[in-house]
Structure formats: structure tokens, C-alpha cells
Amino acid sequence: MIHSKLMLFAENIIRDTQTNKISAINIIEELASPGFPLFMAGLNVLTLLEREKDDAQTINFLLKLRLDENELAGLEVGADFQDKLRNRSIVTINGLVLPNPGILRAVLFLNEKEFALHEVSVRKIGETGAKVVAA
Amino acid sequence: MSSLLRDKELDNLKEIFVFANTPSYLYKNFRQNPAVLGLSEKYQTEELIGFFERLVQSEKPDMESLLMSYALLFAISLKEYAESRRFLNGVDRHKNLEWIKEIREIIIANARATTIKNIDLNHKTNAVPSRHEVELTIMQDAR
């Protein structure tokens, strides 16, 4: 069964052509802004997919970006494992607008079934989520 | 064919080739060599494969042809694996290239399947730019 071993958001994903290694620069663990909507020039989604020997060599999966229940973007990605058991997928989304704070999720679907998920919180600066209770 | 590289570049490759005592050494050092990187950047995969196939026809290649063959092979290995996979699967038939079987195995073992996709959402918006974009604007304004 195809599954995701790793999934993350980053400002930049670099692939070294000599070593063929991937580097994620400025991994996004949370987004914070004093105002909304928030414009993101470039958001990268890195996914490391792993298959078993009997699984298909090529798959088409659907990547959906959601902010809470609001779907912001969706695109089909064709991944070719090329005789290997793993595939690194780098998807760059340019011009993403987050209309409000919430939970940003990248969800992968294969044959209409969700098989991987990564999420980060998007918050308004000044809202920590913690409440101070006066003594 | 040797005109693909200058004499000085061939001399540098010769130095690596003469000192190489394992296929891994050849793999690592040829792929790091600027001349090999230059070939990979300058030519399409199909062109490099064409050059290589023409060059390895000779049964008794001279040193220059040997060096060029290895340079082309490693330049191809720097290309997308999806483009070079078919070529690499059959490359070990060229027995006059020393360590060809081992080199092929190293290249294939180090190859990774990678999918790269871009999407432009093209929003026209008055949204607040993210921190990254604000920093970029400040840097551009400072120039």
C-alpha cells in the first residue's frame, strides 16, 4: 500500500543535482500574521511516498490544500516511482491566499481515499490561544 | 568528439582517471568535475546519449575517447533518472569501459524518483504579504 513517510511545508525545497539529495529550507511549522488575508508568494509541499513491490509504478494522486473546511487549491500530481520504492514529490504553490486564521492542511488522495495529511496552524499575531486568567 | 571538452579539461579528467582505484572514486570525482557538470548543463540527455553511443563504437579506444566516454556517462547520470533509465539499463554491454557494470549499479542505486510540480494560483488580491515577501521587498528597496 502506498503511504507517506514524510510530509512538510517549507519556503524552499532544493534538490542537489550532484548528490541528488533534497534540502528543505525554512520549514514552516506555523504561520502567523498581524492581518488577514495573508498572501504567500511560494509555498512548497514536500512528500516522500513509499510503495510496496506489488504497488503500481506510476500513480496520480490529488493534493488538496484546505484552511479548516475551506478548499484553497487542488491539483493532480503524477508520480512515477521509476522501479524504485520511494518517490519524492515537490509541489510549489505560488500565490496562495489564506483568508483567515485556522488550520492549514495538505491532504493527499489516491483513488478518492485520503492517504496522507500534514497540517500547520495559521494564527493572528496577538492571539496566542492561551487565556490569562486573573487571580 | 573530444572537441566537446578543452585539452585542459581532459587533462583534469585524466588525472582523476589515473588515480582512480575504485568505481566509487570515479563516480564521485567525475560527477563533481566542472567539465562533466558543464556537459550535463549544456546538452540534452538524448544528445549526450548519442555522443556516448558513437564514441564507444571503437573496439580499441584511445585515452582521449575513454575519458570522453566516462565524462559523457557521468554527465548522463546527472540528468533526470526518468530520462536516463532506459540507457543505463543496457549500458553495461560496453565491455571496453572498465568498471562499467559497477558504475551502472552505483548510478542506479543513487538515483531517486522525484516529481516536481508547480501551480500558480494567480490571485489578484490586496492580502497582507507574508514575512518572506516583506523581507524581499525591503531588500529590493534597499538596492
Side-chain angles (χ1 to χ4, degrees):
Chain A
M1 203 174 97
I2 291 169
H3 62 279
S4 157
K5 286 198 83 174
L6 167 80
M7 209 170 164
L8 57 85
F9 292 126
E11 282 183 8
N12 277 306
I13 308 277
I14 297 166
R15 184 172 57 128
D16 186 320
T17 51
Q18 279 182 50
T19 61
N20 215 359
K21 287 176 181 166
I22 301 258
S23 298
I25 313 293
N26 296 345
I27 294 172
I28 297 168
E29 51 194 281
E30 181 189 55
L31 286 161
S33 170
F36 284 87
L38 173 67
F39 177 73
M40 300 198 66
L43 174 72
N44 292 279
V45 185
L46 171 67
T47 311
L48 177 60
L49 298 175
E50 194 171 63
R51 72 178 179 107
E52 284 162 24
K53 276 186 179 173
D54 300 336
D55 288 322
Q57 281 272 357
T58 55
I59 57 165
N60 283 316
F61 65 85
L62 190 66
L63 166 67
K64 287 187 178 180
L65 274 188
R66 291 176 176 155
L67 185 67
D68 294 333
E69 298 310 311
N70 183 10
E71 191 170 315
L72 304 174
L75 76 154
E76 198 174 88
V77 182
D80 185 350
F81 284 82
Q82 297 162 16
D83 295 336
K84 305 278 179 183
L85 294 179
R86 285 188 297 277
N87 176 288
R88 295 103 46 108
S89 290
I90 303 163
V91 178
T92 305
I93 298 141
N94 299 309
L96 182 71
V97 174
L98 305 176
N100 50 270
I103 301 291
L104 178 66
R105 293 185 176 89
V107 194
L108 304 189
F109 293 88
L110 187 60
N111 301 327
E112 295 177 10
K113 274 188 188 169
E114 182 184 317
F115 75 100
L117 166 80
H118 180 66
E119 59 182 37
V120 296
S121 71
V122 181
R123 68 180 176 87
K124 190 168 182 179
I125 289 173
E127 287 178 0
T128 57
K131 286 182 181 170
V132 180
V133 180
Chain B
M1 195 67 66
S2 57
S3 62
L4 291 174
L5 295 179
R6 287 173 300 187
D7 289 348
K8 187 157 173 42
E9 291 172 322
L10 282 168
D11 286 346
N12 290 339
L13 292 177
K14 190 175 177 182
E15 210 168 294
I16 298 169
F17 187 73
V18 169
F19 276 104
N21 51 1
T22 61
S24 306
Y25 181 93
L26 213 56
Y27 172 83
K28 189 182 168 203
N29 288 279
F30 261 68
R31 280 169 56 102
Q32 284 178 352
N33 185 277
V36 176
L37 288 167
L39 283 175
S40 174
E41 282 168 18
K42 194 171 174 187
Y43 298 101
Q44 302 289 322
T45 311
E46 285 305 315
E47 289 177 291
L48 293 170
I49 292 172
F51 296 149
F52 176 87
E53 294 291 358
R54 261 175 276 154
L55 206 56
V56 292
Q57 296 304 320
S58 163
E59 284 189 10
K60 285 185 181 172
D62 57 14
M63 176 56 97
E64 208 167 273
S65 302
L66 261 182
L67 291 173
M68 269 312 297
S69 303
Y70 282 111
L72 288 163
L73 174 63
F74 288 113
I76 294 163
S77 80
L78 289 164
K79 293 288 197 179
E80 284 292 328
Y81 182 53
E83 294 171 11
S84 61
R85 184 167 53 138
R86 189 177 291 176
F87 161 78
L88 289 169
N89 281 339
V91 78
D92 53 345
R93 70 182 185 278
H94 301 296
K95 307 286 184 200
N96 51 0
L97 289 180
E98 201 180 352
W99 293 326
I100 187 71
K101 190 168 173 278
E102 291 82 0
I103 290 169
R104 173 190 165 271
E105 280 165 13
I106 294 169
I107 293 170
I108 292 177
N110 283 296
R112 299 282 182 272
T114 309
T115 307
I116 295 173
K117 184 124 186 169
N118 276 286
I119 175 173
D120 287 310
L121 297 177
N122 287 327
H123 283 294
K124 297 278 182 244
T125 178
N126 55 358
V128 178
S130 63
R131 179 182 60 80
H132 177 68
E133 219 193 8
V134 171
E135 283 171 2
L136 204 67
T137 312
I138 293 168
M139 280 164 63
Q140 282 166 349
D141 287 349
R143 279 183 200 153

